[in-house]
Amino acid sequence: MDASEISRDGSASTSKRHSRNVSYSNRTPLTRRTTKGPLDIDDPLAPSPTTQAPIPVAEAASVPMPPTPSTTTTSNPLSPSKPLALRPRSRSPLPPSTSTKDLSFLRHPSNFRKISQTDISPPFRSTPAAPDTNLPALLRQGHYYRAASLAVSSLIIDSDLCQKEILELLYVRLACLTLLNHTPLAGKESLALGDIHSPFYLDDHNECILPWELRVLAVRLQALEAGDSRRGVQGYYDLAAYARRRIRMSGDAEVKGLWKDRLRDLGVRVGNALVEMGDLEAGRRHFETLAEATNVTEENTTLSSWIAMLCLRMGNLERARTWTCGDRSAGGASAINSSQLAKHDVLSPLLNMAEGDYGIAATEWRSLLQSPHNVLAKQNLAVCLLYTGQLSETSQLLEELVNDNHAFYALTFNLATVYELSTDKSRDRKMQLAERVAEGLRKNAADAEGRRIERSNVDFKL
């Protein structure tokens, strides 16, 4: 019996060698299920069905927001019957979008929390209400607690709000909470937005309906609420990609300049996020990259100052001095001319303070008392004198700043510290300080436009 006979009648035993499985052509192939994974993106060049409008590429991701009314009657912008243009030929602005989103989920009362005013210092709780209680006036006068409450009341009660007004009120609410140091509360309330990069927030022209300021603020707040700073960095990079796309598409020089400014601002915010998450070295390298890529002299000087301050915080005094002197030999900034030395003059005494040379630093601060940085110089001079044991002169300098209607956080905190070191009745002195600051802000309300009126107990170490 030969091999051919075995294959014809199949009576012999099968061979022990491995062989490939023969595919059977008489079986009907299974139809592939129409499932989509994270990499299954619709081909924009494929012909679209006539019964349903195509899904844009950005809408391949799931939308966590409530669905809006479907618009299946619109034609496909990439259909074969129309010429395909990878870049827009016309530079004329797009017509305004006529579609509106259902943003009622952003107005639900459960999205908002009550703001506790127990942390406000008592002298500021009795601050009289502004005669004009509309929202712009409250913001202009620094009544951020009232502004935040009024924004929520308008969102919940007013039924005639348009899409733009709803988003603006939400931004005012979140921004006021952030300025009032209620960042955790603002983070919880920002979750109502969901994914700000979701295609739900795109209009007919594939443009985001969220205000730019709200998008930037929501990235940070949602990252802080999630406890993941890397998420914030990624969110800034996503916004940067959007800004670069707008720069390429815009033909208007003014609009292009606006998006370039926003792109530079995002670069700074990325560095701040790296510092906030504790990666100081990565933040320093990021700011140095920005400084080397910046051609504007004033911006370069500001970035150099930030880098020097960051190096001081890291304890790298040599590199901080390099950026202060403007020497590129060690990777620092470009040389700085004499007209730009004012910002760097304040860094030299700070370097001496970091090295413990308070006497030399005090001399340098005294020389700056007549400069535009006199408030900063007097504040730091008082700190130097405090470390050298001259407590009475320290108190005198800080009191002079308060009498001149300066009431920033570092000033009131340092003066409260002096009270704790100099008397056993420090609490009474700190309460009097809070009353003086509140009275000064009320008397100089016109000059204090935009400054926060409600001050917390932490500002006075109460």
Side-chain angles (χ1 to χ4, degrees):
M1 181 167 48
D2 55 12
S4 61
E5 294 175 346
I6 295 176
S7 61
R8 283 193 298 268
D9 57 17
S11 58
S13 60
T14 60
S15 175
K16 294 183 179 181
R17 292 179 299 171
H18 294 287
S19 62
R20 297 183 59 183
N21 294 328
V22 181
S23 61
Y24 298 94
S25 59
N26 57 349
R27 289 189 177 182
T28 303
L30 295 176
T31 304
R32 184 179 182 272
R33 296 179 180 178
T34 58
T35 59
K36 290 186 178 181
L39 299 180
D40 293 322
I41 301 178
D42 294 338
D43 184 4
L45 301 180
S48 59
T50 58
T51 58
Q52 185 176 2
I55 302 176
V57 175
E59 295 186 4
S62 59
V63 181
M65 299 301 173
T68 56
S70 175
T71 56
T72 58
T73 59
T74 57
S75 60
N76 183 8
L78 295 179
S79 61
S81 61
K82 297 182 179 181
L84 178 64
L86 297 181
R87 293 186 180 181
R89 297 180 181 273
S90 176
R91 297 298 182 181
S92 59
L94 294 173
S97 175
T98 58
S99 65
T100 57
K101 303 288 185 178
D102 182 10
L103 302 180
S104 58
F105 63 94
L106 295 178
R107 309 175 61 181
H108 200 277
S110 62
N111 297 335
F112 308 103
R113 277 75 171 175
K114 184 177 180 181
I115 307 177
S116 174
Q117 298 190 18
T118 57
D119 59 336
I120 301 179
S121 184
F124 297 93
R125 298 178 193 172
S126 59
T127 303
D132 189 1
T133 57
N134 63 71
L135 191 57
L138 292 175
L139 294 174
R140 186 172 58 253
Q141 298 170 4
H143 295 279
Y144 296 143
Y145 270 99
R146 293 185 178 91
S149 301
L150 182 59
V152 170
S153 300
S154 301
L155 282 171
I156 297 176
I157 299 175
D158 194 350
S159 59
D160 298 330
L161 295 176
C162 65
Q163 174 179 285
K164 181 180 178 182
E165 292 172 336
I166 292 174
L167 297 174
E168 288 178 350
L169 287 172
L170 183 60
Y171 171 72
V172 169
R173 168 71 176 186
L174 298 178
C176 288
L177 291 178
T178 304
L179 292 172
L180 293 169
N181 296 325
H182 288 295
T183 306
L185 184 60
K188 289 181 174 60
E189 295 189 1
S190 68
L191 296 180
L193 286 167
D195 183 12
I196 62 173
H197 306 290
S198 169
F200 173 79
Y201 291 118
L202 299 180
D203 61 9
D204 296 340
H205 308 301
N206 210 30
E207 298 294 334
C208 185
I209 65 174
L210 297 178
W212 178 258
E213 295 79 6
L214 177 59
R215 297 168 69 184
V216 174
L217 180 60
V219 165
R220 178 175 182 267
L221 293 179
Q222 291 182 353
L224 292 177
E225 176 62 21
D228 186 5
S229 300
R230 294 172 297 180
R231 175 178 173 180
V233 175
Q234 180 62 44
Y236 289 139
Y237 272 100
D238 292 338
L239 293 180
Y242 180 85
R244 289 190 179 94
R245 186 163 59 251
R246 294 301 300 268
I247 292 173
R248 291 193 302 268
M249 295 177 60
S250 176
D252 189 347
E254 184 177 355
V255 174
K256 185 174 293 187
L258 171 64
W259 284 104
K260 286 182 178 180
D261 292 340
R262 290 177 172 178
L263 184 61
R264 283 191 290 266
D265 175 70
L266 289 174
V268 174
R269 292 179 184 273
V270 169
N272 290 340
L274 293 173
V275 173
E276 197 171 38
M277 65 190 293
D279 197 345
L280 303 183
E281 180 63 24
R284 178 190 63 80
R285 293 196 304 267
H286 177 79
F287 280 124
E288 288 182 353
T289 303
L290 292 180
E292 293 172 356
T294 301
N295 296 324
V296 183
T297 305
E298 184 177 355
E299 290 186 8
N300 198 296
T301 305
T302 303
L303 286 172
S304 301
S305 303
W306 292 349
I307 296 169
M309 294 292 294
L310 184 56
C311 292
L312 284 177
R313 181 176 175 181
M314 296 171 59
N316 192 342
L317 301 183
E318 288 299 325
R319 198 168 190 88
R321 196 176 297 278
T322 298
W323 280 96
T324 302
C325 299
D327 182 13
R328 289 190 66 94
S329 60
S334 57
I336 298 173
N337 56 42
S338 57
S339 63
Q340 301 161 355
L341 288 176
K343 290 185 178 180
H344 284 257
D345 283 343
V346 302
L347 294 176
S348 178
L350 288 176
L351 282 169
N352 290 320
M353 292 177 66
E355 293 176 343
D357 297 331
Y358 296 106
I360 300 176
T363 303
E364 292 178 327
W365 287 124
R366 289 184 189 276
S367 65
L368 296 175
L369 291 179
Q370 304 302 325
S371 69
H373 305 283
N374 58 340
V375 176
L376 175 64
K378 184 176 289 188
Q379 151 82 7
N380 286 280
L381 173 59
V383 174
C384 289
L385 296 176
L386 175 64
Y387 278 101
T388 56
Q390 304 178 49
L391 196 59
S392 58
E393 189 174 357
T394 298
S395 178
Q396 180 182 352
L397 290 173
L398 297 179
E399 293 280 1
E400 290 176 359
L401 289 175
V402 173
N403 295 334
D404 293 339
N405 200 31
H406 298 290
F408 48 92
Y409 169 74
L411 171 61
T412 56
F413 190 88
N414 288 335
L415 188 53
T417 302
V418 172
Y419 291 156
E420 292 177 345
L421 297 174
S422 58
T423 178
D424 294 335
K425 299 180 179 180
S426 61
R427 181 171 180 81
D428 296 337
R429 296 287 300 275
K430 289 185 285 187
M431 285 296 299
Q432 295 173 4
L433 174 62
E435 293 173 357
R436 288 168 54 195
V437 172
E439 183 65 23
L441 290 176
R442 284 193 289 265
K443 289 183 178 180
N444 301 277
D447 298 333
E449 183 172 327
R451 294 170 58 182
R452 180 166 59 97
I453 296 298
E454 302 94 347
R455 300 298 179 91
S456 63
N457 291 320
V458 179
D459 294 3
F460 306 94
K461 302 185 71 172
L462 290 170

